Amino acid sequence: MSFTVDVRRTDQLTPAELAELRAMLVECFGPRYDERSWQHCLGGLHYLLRYEDRLVSHGALVPRRFRQGGQDLDGVYGESMATLPALRHRGLGSVVVSMATAEIRLHHTIGVFAAGKYEFYERLGWRKWRGPTYVETAQGPRPAAPARGAVMFRLPQHSTIDPDADLTTDWRDGDIW
């Protein structure tokens, strides 16, 4: 199986590439992949895996504000991690997630995302957040759990972040996690 992976920021993608990406994500997620989901995946770094010149797997890391114990964390959030259904279970998604994981470990203090099928990510070294999770609102932090699955995290090797303590993120429309 021969494939290529292109890593680019959103602002480096052409309108045609963005249209191709969005169509692939809708094919992967179905009708629940709406405008908010699309907007959440923009503004960061994209891992675009092509097989036979077709975009078949994708993951994005977007900047997101995280705090623990009043300390701001240099974090990114994984968005729109997906592989076309017909090509799943061939290692393509693992390539994308592994590359995103390397970026987190080298350049950030934490990587976070919500996953319904968290067992896949656990095989790649990601773990479930064990502490309480919150979202920052105008009225202050409030408890916020993912709509489905679990909040997953990845830390650099020598991190001092405590996965049993609280984790707070910023408010956004749609899914918080």
Side-chain angles (χ1 to χ4, degrees):
M1 177 178 285
S2 178
F3 61 85
T4 61
V5 181
D6 195 15
V7 182
R8 290 192 280 159
R9 294 185 322 268
T10 302
D11 63 359
Q12 295 173 315
L13 299 173
T14 67
E17 290 169 323
L18 288 168
E20 178 188 27
L21 172 59
R22 188 169 187 174
M24 188 214 86
L25 294 170
V26 168
E27 186 175 342
C28 290
F29 292 111
R32 71 183 172 99
Y33 197 83
D34 59 10
E35 180 63 24
R36 273 189 241 175
S37 299
W38 173 244
Q39 291 301 317
H40 288 171
C41 95
L42 301 177
L45 197 59
H46 297 266
Y47 298 84
L48 306 152
L49 189 144
R50 292 184 176 282
Y51 173 66
E52 296 180 354
D53 294 323
R54 182 174 182 208
L55 181 60
V56 299
S57 192
H58 168 268
L61 293 177
V62 296
R64 191 110 186 253
R65 187 174 169 192
F66 298 101
R67 285 173 308 292
Q68 184 175 75
Q71 177 185 2
D72 286 338
L73 307 174
D74 172 28
V76 289
Y77 193 79
E79 289 285 358
S80 300
M81 303 279 190
T83 300
L84 289 175
L87 293 172
R88 290 181 185 154
H89 309 290
R90 297 183 188 195
L92 301 174
S94 295
V95 169
V96 169
V97 173
S98 294
M99 291 180 73
T101 299
E103 169 71 19
I104 292 163
R105 294 190 71 178
L106 290 170
H107 301 291
H108 302 282
T109 56
I110 190 170
V112 179
F113 70 98
K117 297 181 180 180
Y118 54 84
E119 296 88 355
F120 167 80
Y121 299 97
E122 286 179 320
R123 289 186 300 110
L124 299 172
W126 288 75
R127 298 292 172 249
K128 291 182 197 173
W129 191 263
R130 297 180 301 264
T133 55
Y134 298 90
V135 62
E136 189 66 48
T137 70
Q139 295 76 34
R142 70 172 174 87
R148 60 191 172 282
V151 173
M152 305 296 289
F153 74 96
R154 188 64 194 247
L155 304 172
Q157 187 172 359
H158 301 292
S159 176
T160 59
I161 296 171
D162 181 359
D164 292 309
D166 63 291
L167 181 67
T168 302
T169 191
D170 52 337
W171 172 262
R172 67 180 188 177
D173 287 335
D175 291 337
I176 301 301
W177 295 105

